[in-house]
Amino acid sequence: MLILLPPSETKRPGGRRSAMRLERLAFAQLAAQRTQVVDALVALAADDDEAARVLGLSERQRGEIAHNRTLRTGPTLPAVDRYTGVLYDALDAASLDAASRRWLGAHVVIHSAPFGPIGALDPIPAYRLAAGTSLPGLPSLRRVWADAVSAALAAASPSFVLDLRSEAYAALGPVPAGTASAYLRVVTAGPDGTTRALNHFNKHAKGALVRRLATQRPRVGSAAGLRRWAQAAGLMMRAGAAGELDLVV
């Protein structure tokens, strides 16, 4: 099973002094797209005013431009430790044991805007770039990434893909046709049995789910297998709309 996670706007600063090596990130065939986006982001960071405008930064956030200026030389952290926020706080990867972190490295991919999909343990620097940003000199990020990412996912030949990304990041690399997959929605059931999607708690539930998977490390190769594991783990997961699973909380 391959799990696709969204990134987070908030990130932990600092890290090891060893710089990122684009060619050593997961899905090495995406090196050309990564170089395009990183080069454009570094070039944009040379002009603070223009970078703030393009990235939609407030005056208080302008300090984040410095991270983009040093993308190729800045300190790195494993991706799953770099991101913070509701989902990653619930996952709390830093508190997991070595076996659980190895499981994350083998099964979890985080879909970033500048680097595309990366392994959970791939070392990356802090940065600022969202999925919907249009960088000067480049087509939309969707045009840069979508086809190339879908091809890279197909080449990985996962038995099953569980897609936990937001719709904006799913658009940057649709799961290829022919790959067994399910898009996960977090919902709550009302007294009358009707369900509604959740917003804030959606992220927390996804992070907690991935943490549970990492600690139990089940062998899952299909949506049905994931639902069987969820039932045994005391979770309520059921078939949703076509191609989707609902996690009921």
Side-chain angles (χ1 to χ4, degrees):
M1 175 172 62
L2 187 68
I3 301 173
L4 303 180
L5 289 182
S8 175
E9 185 177 280
T10 57
K11 300 168 187 72
R12 186 169 287 106
R16 305 186 188 94
R17 291 189 176 274
S18 53
M20 174 183 60
R21 300 282 295 274
L22 288 177
E23 70 276 11
R24 293 187 179 179
L25 299 177
F27 304 102
Q29 63 267 55
L30 297 174
Q33 288 79 14
R34 287 168 173 155
T35 298
Q36 274 187 293
V37 179
V38 168
D39 285 351
L41 200 52
V42 171
L44 175 65
D47 183 332
D48 280 14
D49 290 339
E50 180 66 0
R53 184 191 68 80
V54 170
L55 300 174
L57 301 180
S58 67
E59 192 65 32
R60 183 175 57 85
Q61 296 170 319
R62 286 171 71 104
E64 295 188 37
I65 298 168
H67 295 315
N68 290 351
R69 198 174 294 127
T70 59
L71 269 182
R72 291 188 176 277
T73 59
T76 58
L77 284 171
V80 75
D81 299 322
R82 174 66 73 192
Y83 296 106
T84 61
V86 176
L87 189 156
Y88 289 93
D89 290 348
L91 173 53
D92 192 15
S95 70
L96 292 172
D97 61 25
S100 297
R101 285 181 65 87
R102 285 194 298 271
W103 190 93
L104 291 176
H107 295 277
V108 172
V109 165
I110 302 171
H111 198 153
S112 73
F115 316 123
I118 51 178
L121 301 183
D122 282 353
I124 61 168
Y127 68 87
R128 182 65 181 238
L129 183 65
T133 304
S134 294
L135 291 173
L138 285 185
S140 70
L141 291 178
R142 184 171 182 170
R143 288 182 59 191
V144 170
W145 287 119
D147 290 345
V149 169
S150 292
L153 291 174
S157 301
S159 60
F160 172 65
V161 174
L162 180 64
D163 195 346
L164 275 62
R165 297 175 295 178
S166 62
E167 292 182 0
Y169 281 92
L172 296 188
V175 177
T179 297
S181 67
Y183 188 87
L184 186 79
R185 296 193 183 277
V186 180
V187 301
T188 186
D192 60 354
T194 60
T195 59
R196 63 181 178 86
L198 296 175
N199 293 321
H200 176 84
F201 197 73
N202 161 62
K203 295 179 180 179
H204 182 277
K206 288 178 177 178
L209 173 66
V210 176
R211 182 179 178 86
R212 181 82 70 91
L213 284 163
T215 55
Q216 296 191 8
R217 300 184 288 281
R219 292 191 176 186
V220 172
S222 66
L226 181 63
R227 288 176 62 192
R228 286 192 296 271
W229 167 81
Q231 182 178 20
L235 302 174
M236 185 180 297
M237 187 180 293
R238 65 191 187 194
E244 296 183 358
L245 289 172
D246 289 343
L247 177 61
V248 184
V249 297

